[in-house]
């Protein structure tokens, strides 16, 4: 089992962090930033297309 993580970046406050894909909801579901409270679709928190592809593989 390969350990994977994705990099997230909040589009509102620009806070960046990493998370395990299995700990995240579907990329089409809403996700709330733990720093500023902004709620957007999880896909909008993905730092790059590659990070988005990574979480899609775990859905
Ligand atoms: Zn934020």
């Amino acid at each position: 089992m390969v350990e994977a993580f994705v990099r997230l970046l909040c589009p509102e406050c620009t806070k960046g962090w990493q998370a395990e894909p299995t700990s995240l909801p579907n990329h089409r579901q809403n996700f709330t930033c733990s720093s500023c409270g902004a709620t957007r679709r999880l896909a909008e928190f993905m730092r790059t297309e590659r990070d988005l592809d990574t979480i899609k593989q775990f859905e």
Side-chain angles (χ1 to χ4, degrees):
M1 173 107 185
V2 177
E3 273 191 50
F5 66 89
V6 292
R7 293 167 298 162
L8 297 93
L9 178 68
C10 176
E12 291 286 336
C13 69
T14 69
K15 175 196 176 185
W17 73 102
Q18 297 178 355
E20 294 178 10
T22 52
S23 70
L24 297 168
N26 185 285
H27 72 281
R28 292 187 184 86
Q29 291 188 310
N30 282 340
F31 185 81
T32 300
C33 174
S34 61
S35 179
C36 71
T39 299
R40 291 166 180 255
R41 287 184 306 139
L42 178 62
E44 296 188 41
F45 285 89
M46 293 295 106
R47 188 181 288 263
T48 66
E49 286 292 320
R50 185 181 162 280
D51 295 303
L52 181 57
D53 287 341
T54 299
I55 59 165
K56 285 179 178 176
Q57 290 173 19
F58 285 85
E59 287 172 359

